[in-house]
Amino acid sequence: MWKTLLCVGAGSFVGGMARYGLTRWVSAGNFTHLPLGTMVVNVAGCLFIGLLYGWFERTDVLSPEWRLFLTVGFCGGFTTFSTFVHENYILFLSDKFWSFAAYAVLSFALGLLAVWFGHFLVRVF
């Protein structure tokens, strides 16, 4: 169990640093009102997790610990959006359209509501 936690933790550490660095680098040249740094990180994370899981389906070259380091750890530290999108992709491919739609819509709507509620609580108290 500790080995698994260390693999995930180390991957998260590296992924978080990579997210911070890439977001800052992209944002430094951003002249729009869009949060391009976050968008680039999210899309890059989706590409990377897609490449990883696609590779894992075709080969058995990496140990389970390295797979956890790269997917749960690195990709999770880099952006949880990539995991969210990959889970939606799996639901969609599994012909679970209503589960896919509910998960996507509810995650976004409840997340937005939770952010609003957090701001509200800070203003009230």
Side-chain angles (χ1 to χ4, degrees):
M1 180 63 160
W2 281 105
K3 186 177 181 182
T4 299
L5 291 174
L6 288 172
C7 287
V8 170
S12 295
F13 176 74
V14 174
M17 290 190 316
R19 177 186 64 230
Y20 178 77
L22 183 57
T23 301
R24 297 267 314 198
W25 181 70
V26 170
S27 296
N30 183 10
F31 299 105
T32 70
H33 295 289
L34 296 173
L36 289 180
T38 301
M39 186 174 72
V40 166
V41 163
N42 285 338
V43 172
C46 290
L47 174 62
F48 192 57
I49 205 167
L51 289 169
L52 287 172
Y53 279 118
W55 186 39
F56 297 159
E57 288 173 5
R58 294 187 61 173
T59 67
D60 194 26
V61 89
L62 292 179
S63 70
E65 291 82 14
W66 272 106
R67 290 174 182 225
L68 285 171
F69 174 88
L70 290 169
T71 57
V72 178
F74 181 83
C75 287
F78 190 64
T79 172
T80 56
F81 184 74
S82 60
T83 300
F84 169 70
V85 172
H86 187 261
E87 290 168 344
N88 276 287
Y89 174 74
I90 295 301
L91 287 171
F92 187 78
L93 284 184
S94 301
D95 292 326
K96 297 177 181 171
F97 180 77
W98 293 111
S99 295
F100 154 73
Y103 181 51
V105 170
L106 284 172
S107 292
F108 183 79
L110 293 174
L112 195 58
L113 183 64
V115 167
W116 171 84
F117 190 59
H119 280 263
F120 172 78
L121 288 175
V122 170
R123 281 193 310 268
V124 171
F125 299 105

